[in-house]
Amino acid sequence: MDLPGRPRRGSRLLAVALLLATACLPRDELPRDRASTVIVSYCCGDEVLSPIHDMNAKLLVFEPLLKRDREGRLVGRLARTWEASPDYREWTYHLRTDARWHDGTPFTAADVAFTIEAMDSFEDPDYRGFEAVTVHDDSTVTIRSGRAVHEYQDWMVFYPKHLLAHLDPSRLGEWEFWQRPVGNGAYRFVSLEPETMMEFEANPDFYLGPPDVERVILRFSIDAGVAPLLSGEVDVAQLDPGPVRGDSRFRIYHVWYPSSWVIYWKADRAPFDDVRVRRALGLAIDRRALTRAAEIPDEVPLIDAPYTPDQVTRGEYQQSPPADPERAAALLRDAGWRDTDGDGFLDRNGETFRFTALLRSRSPENMVGLERQGVLVQSQLRAIGIDMQLLAVDPSVIFDRLETGDFEAVFQFLRPHPATPWLRRHGFGIGDASGYTNPRLAELFEEIDRTPVPAAEDSLYREVAEIFRRDAPVTYLHPMVRFTVAHRRLLGLASPTRADPARAEREEASGAGERIAGSGQKRPPASGSSSRASLHGHRGSAR
């Protein structure tokens, strides 16, 4: 998964994997030419399916090895079963034998090896870390990774060796293949009208059976505004749902991600070099008031430290403390901050507690903007005598300032896992960008990189979480929440597990199950999985 806010990676719009739109659509509500079509507003998407851009639309055309079910467990797609070595760095996949490329050629282990080898020359850290790939036979392949994080399993897709092997991999981004890709997924690429739309049609030979929705159109727009939804031009979009709340034509879904909105504090610059001050700032902020102001449901948890996806699935994460302005004021007094001149602001040695916090001038189109939350934080800090000025800047400026350490405070994403390089790059533990230094935290990050065994990783992250709570290098606000607005005739979506099919698609109903990593034991499919239908589903599975 991409790092939030990075411009290259796709924005994970529901548009791409679309929609658990099913055969249950009330077709009499639709014009004849729309009865088997779903149109999605796709804001500012990259208009090719190249891995350089890696837009979510790739999941219509190409398949990964695995997917995650509604409980967050890995289930098979191109791989029927799989097992891990004791150190979890080497995975052997037993592939389906009924998956075919859209030109009829069988998908094989050679395609997996070809793709990984081609990516080896791709200048992107997300595709580095592969040490070896071994093809045992057409349906068995082993992948050895040099790092513990195996992002490729449920996100990386594979490309047809028989069509691309003669091309220069160092010029991968220039291949004409991306203009008319041949995939192995539920949909076949039909056409592209630059800056207008991309069209796909159902693949009748898909290994799970032809999907129920026959045609998918991704409509490109400068922004995913509400007007196309209101006019009926599109069926679904991800955006701030405020303008359509209360409109009975639409349903609103949400999904929350491990990424969180946080405030970075410049820990080597006064007054943030005092841990008492950083703790006080966190205690002064009412996180639930922030989420309610943004109309984020109360069921979204308020998490206060880094954690792993497995810890989230089990509910084992550190909750944010409730707001406590009195305790915050006491910590600030201990640090020497008092209102000595009666102007309503704290001061120390003749200096007022005043600083500037940077925040984005543009929020992702399917999230509630930070501006209103920034103003609310400003008000909450003002209540204890702190003058926080807000400066809205372009997101690119945010990244530049974080990289160089040129800031006092910044509202920004923080992705806790699996992104220890991201955490380290912003100075957590080594003292460069954020100014925060903690040698033990740096050691823990190194241990996490070397320790792919889940139980050991959980233990390490629990210690990381304690350090974050104690030292408060950032103040967690709330998880990143994305909203999807869909016409009520589109069925099958649900919050939060099925609001974003790119992350939680329908699990395979083949009955093959999947292996528990490293154990060799087979786990049966989740109860009831065979009856769920989706755009990637097969006819006859709808209920």
Side-chain angles (χ1 to χ4, degrees):
M1 306 200 181
D2 54 299
L3 299 176
R6 289 182 59 193
R8 186 192 68 79
R9 304 285 287 191
S11 59
R12 301 201 182 279
L13 297 176
L14 178 63
V16 294
L18 187 92
L19 280 176
L20 305 173
T22 73
C24 303
L25 300 181
R27 301 190 176 200
D28 55 348
E29 294 187 13
L30 297 169
R32 182 176 298 275
D33 63 348
R34 287 286 302 279
S36 297
T37 299
V38 172
I39 301 178
V40 183
S41 180
Y42 195 96
C43 174
C44 309
D46 297 304
E47 297 175 2
V48 293
L49 302 186
S50 162
I52 290 178
H53 303 287
D54 211 11
M55 64 191 287
N56 272 10
K58 72 178 185 180
L59 296 176
L60 292 172
V61 178
F62 301 99
E63 287 280 281
L65 292 168
L66 311 176
K67 286 288 186 183
R68 291 192 180 271
D69 66 13
R70 63 180 59 206
E71 283 79 37
R73 300 174 307 177
L74 289 170
V75 294
R77 291 304 281 249
L78 290 176
R80 287 187 181 275
T81 59
W82 57 98
E83 57 265 353
S85 61
D87 67 359
Y88 279 75
R89 295 187 187 275
E90 189 169 280
W91 294 74
T92 296
Y93 300 93
H94 307 279
L95 307 178
R96 306 184 65 103
T97 57
D98 55 353
R100 293 183 174 274
W101 296 103
H102 294 159
D103 63 3
T105 304
F107 166 79
T108 72
D111 298 306
V112 175
F114 163 75
T115 300
I116 290 176
E117 289 163 2
M119 292 300 180
D120 189 52
S121 62
F122 185 38
E123 295 183 0
D124 188 299
D126 289 342
Y127 288 105
R128 294 175 186 163
F130 294 113
E131 291 184 345
V133 55
T134 303
V135 174
H136 303 285
D137 54 47
D138 282 352
S139 61
T140 312
V141 62
T142 296
I143 299 173
R144 176 79 182 176
S145 176
R147 59 183 183 180
V149 177
H150 302 287
E151 179 177 319
Y152 70 86
Q153 290 180 317
D154 65 342
W155 181 246
M156 185 176 181
V157 297
F158 302 93
Y159 304 114
K161 178 179 179 179
H162 68 286
L163 297 179
L164 302 174
H166 65 287
L167 301 177
D168 180 357
S170 68
R171 306 187 69 176
L172 178 146
E174 302 171 24
W175 291 352
E176 291 186 10
F177 175 81
W178 310 123
Q179 301 299 319
R180 193 171 184 83
V182 175
N184 52 15
Y187 284 84
R188 299 187 299 199
F189 177 87
V190 174
S191 65
L192 167 66
E193 295 181 23
E195 302 182 5
T196 303
M197 60 170 282
M198 189 180 292
E199 181 180 358
F200 307 88
E201 65 182 5
N203 173 16
D205 299 319
F206 186 50
Y207 59 80
L208 293 181
D212 298 309
V213 176
E214 297 173 3
R215 187 166 169 255
V216 176
I217 293 175
L218 306 185
R219 173 182 160 177
F220 299 113
S221 59
I222 295 176
D223 59 70
V226 71
L229 275 170
L230 296 175
S231 67
E233 296 175 49
V234 303
D235 302 300
V236 62
Q238 285 196 324
L239 40 70
D240 181 339
V244 300
R245 288 191 186 277
D247 190 324
S248 62
R249 292 173 296 173
F250 304 102
R251 294 190 180 99
I252 299 169
Y253 306 92
H254 73 271
V255 58
W256 63 275
Y257 295 99
S259 304
S260 296
W261 288 110
V262 304
I263 304 176
Y264 289 77
W265 309 112
K266 192 68 168 74
D268 59 355
R269 178 184 298 178
F272 310 112
D273 56 351
D274 190 327
V275 68
R276 293 171 295 181
V277 170
R278 299 196 300 270
R279 289 178 185 167
L281 290 165
L283 288 168
I285 296 173
D286 185 340
R287 279 85 158 178
R288 189 53 73 191
L290 295 182
T291 61
R292 288 172 178 165
E295 299 186 271
I296 294 172
D298 284 356
E299 66 194 69
V300 174
L302 300 177
I303 300 176
D304 199 40
Y307 50 91
T308 71
D310 286 342
Q311 288 172 329
V312 173
T313 300
R314 298 190 302 267
E316 298 173 2
Y317 42 76
Q318 191 163 266
Q319 294 274 4
S320 296
D324 190 344
E326 292 184 3
R327 174 60 178 155
L331 285 170
L332 291 169
R333 285 194 298 272
D334 287 345
W337 291 96
R338 292 175 172 80
D339 181 6
T340 61
D341 55 11
D343 67 351
F345 293 108
L346 301 178
D347 57 82
R348 186 179 67 179
N349 300 327
E351 292 189 12
T352 299
F353 198 143
R354 178 178 292 118
F355 66 93
T356 297
L358 306 177
L359 76 167
R360 291 167 169 247
S361 58
R362 295 181 289 112
S363 293
E365 71 288 336
N366 57 335
M367 298 182 197
V368 177
L370 273 186
E371 294 88 346
R372 71 180 77 167
Q373 298 195 51
V375 170
L376 186 52
V377 171
Q378 183 182 51
S379 174
Q380 292 173 349
L381 295 183
R382 175 67 181 80
I384 63 168
I386 294 174
D387 183 14
M388 180 180 75
Q389 301 294 314
L390 296 172
L391 178 61
V393 297
D394 188 84
S396 63
V397 176
I398 296 284
F399 280 98
D400 289 344
R401 294 288 192 93
L402 282 172
E403 292 289 350
T404 62
D406 182 16
F407 65 91
E408 293 177 286
V410 179
F411 287 76
Q412 176 59 333
F413 291 111
L414 178 60
R415 186 182 182 209
H417 180 92
T420 52
W422 169 264
L423 292 170
R424 287 200 301 269
R425 187 165 66 248
H426 291 96
F428 293 121
I430 59 176
D432 52 359
S434 75
Y436 168 68
T437 301
N438 185 311
R440 176 54 184 159
L441 189 59
E443 290 174 2
L444 286 169
F445 287 148
E446 293 295 337
E447 288 183 47
I448 288 169
D449 276 349
R450 296 192 304 267
T451 307
V453 179
E457 186 182 53
D458 283 348
S459 176
L460 293 170
Y461 261 86
R462 281 191 286 271
E463 186 174 351
V464 167
E466 275 306 310
I467 292 174
F468 264 69
R469 169 161 282 187
R470 183 185 68 238
D471 291 357
V474 301
T475 291
Y476 277 75
L477 301 178
H478 57 78
M480 184 178 73
V481 177
R482 295 181 185 270
F483 292 94
T484 295
V485 179
H487 194 279
R488 62 183 176 83
R489 66 176 171 264
L490 298 180
L491 308 178
L493 294 172
S495 301
T497 57
R498 301 181 75 79
D500 188 343
R503 290 181 181 264
E505 290 197 47
R506 167 192 152 316
E507 56 267 39
E508 182 183 337
S510 67
E514 84 267 15
R515 293 192 183 280
I516 302 170
S519 71
Q521 297 178 342
K522 184 173 285 189
R523 177 190 294 139
S527 175
S529 66
S530 62
S531 64
R532 287 189 282 273
S534 75
L535 191 67
H536 286 66
H538 52 82
R539 299 185 191 279
S541 65
R543 27 182 196 186

